[in-house]
Structure formats: C-alpha cells, structure tokens
C-alpha cells in the first residue's frame, strides 16, 4: 500500500512537473528543491508520499468516485465501439489490398505463363 501511495503521488508530481519546469525553472535552487522533494516523498522516515496521499489525493478521489466510475464506463463503451470501427475499417483495407494484389499478380502470372511455349519447356534440362 505504501508503494501504491508513492507511485500515485509521484505520477501526479511528474504530471505537474512538466508545467512547473516551464514556469519556475529559473528560480534559484529549483532543481535541488525538486530533488529534495522526491527524496522526502520516498523516505521511509518522513513518509511524505503517504502524507500527501492521505491528506489530498484520497479525499479528492473519494469525492469524485461516482464521476470517475461513470467516465470509465463511457470510456469502455467508446473504446469497444472504436475498436470495432477500426477493426472493420482495417479488414476492409486488407481485403481491398488483397484483391488488388491478386488482380495485379494474376495478370503478371498469366503473361509469364503464356510466354512459355512447348518448345521452351522441352529445352529445359531434365532433372528427373
């Protein structure tokens, strides 16, 4: 559970870090403070990740649980519909490509077979 809390808080930190790096990276000792914060999160003595998770993340998730569940259900339904749509489109493209390739190669194969006459076939060395 402790590691789960750490990774959730660390993931949120990494997501916000993208924006804070752009806005306040010019601040003196910014990178040192950032490193100290990650060590504070990770340390078993300070249990910073557990503290932040229990104080901020968990209450927020608990308040929004119904919204999150509804979003996940909608995403699952949309994901299934999208997978079906792209699957059908992919099968149609593959079938079209296969028919086009067969059509092109059939003409080439027929032309190549027509180019062989019986005399050409008789002149081939017998390997039997």
């Amino acid at each position: 559970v402790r590691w789960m809390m750490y990774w959730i808080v660390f993931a949120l930190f990494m997501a916000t870090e993208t924006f804070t790096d752009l806005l306040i990276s010019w601040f003196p000792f910014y990178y040192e403070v950032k490193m100290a914060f990650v060590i504070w999160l990770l340390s078993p003595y300070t249990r910073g990740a557990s503290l932040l998770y229990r104080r901020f993340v968990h209450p927020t998730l608990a308040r929004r649980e119904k919204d999150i569940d509804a979003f996940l259900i909608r995403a699952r339904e949309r994901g299934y519909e999208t997978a079906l749509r792209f699957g059908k489109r992919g099968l149609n493209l593959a079938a079209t490509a296969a028919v086009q390739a067969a059509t092109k190669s059939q003409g080439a194969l027929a032309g190549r077979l027509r180019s062989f006459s019986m005399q050409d076939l008789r002149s081939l060395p017998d390997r039997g």
Side-chain angles (χ1 to χ4, degrees):
V1 172
R2 192 184 108 197
W3 285 108
M4 178 206 60
M5 289 186 225
Y6 168 76
W7 284 111
I8 291 172
V9 171
F10 186 73
L12 291 171
F13 167 71
M14 292 299 292
T16 57
E17 178 190 28
T18 305
F19 302 108
T20 58
D21 278 353
L22 294 173
L23 298 175
I24 60 172
S25 62
W26 55 269
F27 193 72
F29 301 110
Y30 170 74
Y31 293 103
E32 289 81 2
V33 169
K34 193 163 70 168
M35 281 180 30
F37 179 73
V38 171
I39 292 170
W40 178 76
L41 286 177
L42 188 58
S43 174
Y45 300 108
T46 60
R47 296 185 182 183
S50 298
L51 178 81
L52 290 178
Y53 182 85
R54 289 190 172 120
R55 187 166 291 170
F56 298 107
V57 178
H58 183 71
T60 303
L61 291 175
R63 266 195 320 270
R64 306 266 182 171
E65 185 175 3
K66 290 180 183 178
D67 296 335
I68 293 168
D69 289 342
F71 175 78
L72 289 174
I73 289 170
R74 281 194 314 266
R76 186 178 345 153
E77 290 170 356
R78 287 183 189 161
Y80 181 72
E81 292 168 2
T82 303
L84 281 178
R85 189 174 66 239
F86 282 125
K88 287 178 184 177
R89 186 181 295 171
L91 286 175
N92 286 338
L93 287 173
T96 303
V99 168
Q100 287 175 351
T103 304
K104 288 179 183 176
S105 66
Q106 182 182 10
L109 183 62
R112 183 170 280 215
L113 288 176
R114 278 190 215 119
S115 71
F116 290 118
S117 66
M118 284 307 288
Q119 188 176 22
D120 292 336
L121 293 175
R122 281 189 211 120
S123 67
L124 290 174
D126 189 21
R127 293 188 182 182

